[in-house]
């Protein structure tokens, strides 16, 4: 097994949210001696409010999963040392896909969108994903969650003021195509292949990516003969990075990393 003692962390953002969602996580890891970066997706290097005001944004709408994976592939290769990869939602899926390419000494997929072939018909998953998939609407226009959609898909269970603050701080337009790409071969993982250590986490109240979906993702790796771990956190929704409990999750992840060979 490759030595996992890297002190560089690349945070990979998910869909619909601004990359500043990692700010507190970066501070936490920096305080523990890590060098961290959280690069934005292409066409999203602006403030969240600026991006919302740009909607419908044809450049954001043009983003595709394969190109986004290549974007982070380049970011990872540019680091002075092979980094630890930590991603959320589609960012978690990208962690899995980059580990498949042999990039990263370890990976953490937080509530990841599952790779191709892993599905659920749970109502919350279908309801949360219907709008972003944008069926019967133009893919040339970006998709921006309404506040009501945000409350259901991301911040369910939080009080109204916290939901509203999170929306205006982090919600941004998204590509419908990139959401659709997650069910295509662009999101294919060969689970039997060896990979760097991988931790998959889930949340018991996540509407967008139910915990059962993350557990199915984890179980697909059972024949890989590589370190793969799974942890379900109680009371976490899809806004897990910004919930008051975020530091508990970050501490668990850091402890898992520190225990690797």
């Amino acid at each position: 097994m490759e030595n996992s003692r890297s002190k560089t962390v690349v945070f990979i953002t998910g869909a619909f949210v601004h990359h500043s969602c990692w700010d507190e996580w970066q501070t936490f890891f920096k305080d523990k001696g890590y060098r961290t970066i959280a690069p934005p997706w292409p066409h999203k290097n602006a403030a969240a409010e600026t991006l919302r005001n740009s909607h419908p944004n044809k450049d954001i709408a043009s983003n595709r999963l394969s190109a986004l994976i290549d974007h982070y592939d380049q970011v990872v290769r540019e680091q002075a040392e092979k980094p630890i990869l930590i991603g959320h939602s589609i960012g978690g899926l990208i962690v899995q896909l980059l580990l498949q390419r042999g990039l990263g000494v370890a990976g953490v997929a937080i509530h990841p969108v599952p790779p191709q072939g892993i599905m659920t018909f749970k109502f919350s998953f279908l309801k949360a994903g219907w709008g972003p998939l944008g069926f019967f609407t133009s893919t040339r226009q970006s998709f921006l969650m309404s506040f009501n959609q945000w409350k259901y898909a991301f911040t369910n269970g939080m009080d109204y003021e916290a939901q509203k603050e999170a929306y205006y701080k982090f919600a941004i337009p998204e590509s419908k195509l990139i959401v659709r790409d997650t069910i295509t071969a662009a999101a294919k993982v060969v689970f039997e292949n060896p990979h760097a250590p991988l931790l998959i986490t889930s949340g018991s109240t996540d509407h967008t990516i139910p915990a059962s979906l993350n557990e199915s993702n984890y179980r697909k790796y059972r024949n890989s003969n590589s370190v793969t771990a799974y942890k379900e956190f109680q009371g976490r929704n899809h806004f897990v990075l910004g919930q008051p409990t975020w530091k508990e999750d970050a501490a668990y992840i850091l402890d898992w990393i520190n225990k690797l060979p």
Side-chain angles (χ1 to χ4, degrees):
M1 183 185 297
E2 187 173 22
N3 189 291
S4 59
R5 296 299 179 194
S6 174
K7 300 301 286 187
T8 301
V9 178
V10 176
F11 290 106
I12 303 178
T13 313
F16 315 109
V17 294
H18 194 260
H19 60 280
S20 61
C21 64
W22 293 112
D23 284 357
E24 290 185 305
W25 286 69
Q26 285 190 270
T27 299
F28 179 86
F29 274 81
K30 286 176 181 175
D31 288 345
K32 307 298 182 182
Y34 288 83
R35 187 182 74 85
T36 73
I37 59 169
W41 287 20
H43 312 303
K44 293 184 177 181
N45 194 14
E49 184 177 7
T50 300
L51 293 174
R52 281 197 302 276
N53 289 339
S54 76
H55 175 70
N57 185 311
K58 62 180 179 60
D59 292 325
I60 289 177
S62 71
N63 277 339
R64 302 299 299 263
L65 181 59
S66 291
L68 183 60
I69 297 164
D70 289 341
H71 169 74
Y72 279 104
D73 181 307
Q74 181 178 349
V75 168
V76 171
R77 293 181 191 274
E78 288 173 350
Q79 304 311 304
E81 63 178 346
K82 208 169 184 178
I84 297 160
L85 310 177
I86 301 179
H88 170 249
S89 195
I90 285 182
L93 169 61
I94 292 172
V95 167
Q96 293 181 248
L97 294 167
L98 292 178
L99 291 188
Q100 183 169 251
R101 295 184 179 190
L103 300 174
V105 297
V108 180
I110 301 171
H111 303 212
V113 170
Q116 183 191 31
I118 302 176
M119 277 290 293
T120 181
F121 293 100
K122 191 169 183 177
F123 175 75
S124 70
F125 172 76
L126 299 175
K127 180 177 178 180
W130 181 256
L133 284 167
F135 293 127
F136 314 116
T137 65
S138 173
T139 56
R140 296 180 182 179
Q141 293 187 350
S142 53
F143 172 81
L144 179 62
M145 280 191 185
S146 69
F147 180 51
N148 281 337
Q149 288 171 319
W150 171 266
K151 287 192 295 181
Y152 185 84
F154 271 80
T155 57
N156 55 291
M158 296 166 60
D159 69 66
Y160 177 82
E161 289 302 320
Q163 290 178 317
K164 184 169 68 173
E165 180 183 2
Y167 182 81
Y168 286 108
K169 190 173 182 180
F170 297 115
I172 60 174
E174 193 49 79
S175 163
K176 300 167 191 174
L177 290 171
I178 216 161
V179 177
R180 297 183 192 183
D181 285 344
T182 63
I183 59 173
T184 70
K188 183 178 181 180
V189 168
V190 181
F191 294 98
E192 295 79 16
N193 288 354
H195 59 82
L198 171 66
L199 169 65
I200 295 175
T201 73
S202 68
S204 66
T205 62
D206 192 327
H207 282 168
T208 297
I209 306 294
S212 59
L213 204 54
N214 292 140
E215 186 171 8
S216 295
N217 187 358
Y218 159 70
R219 292 190 181 281
K220 284 283 189 177
Y221 284 99
R222 64 185 178 275
N223 295 322
S224 69
N225 293 319
S226 300
V227 174
T228 313
Y230 175 74
K231 170 66 176 179
E232 178 180 336
F233 289 97
Q234 293 301 305
R236 301 332 190 243
N237 56 29
H238 206 59
F239 190 61
V240 54
L241 303 183
Q243 283 186 276
T245 49
W246 74 265
K247 193 173 287 187
E248 296 173 27
D249 299 46
Y252 181 94
I253 289 167
L254 183 59
D255 183 62
W256 179 82
I257 291 168
N258 287 337
K259 288 178 178 177
L260 293 173

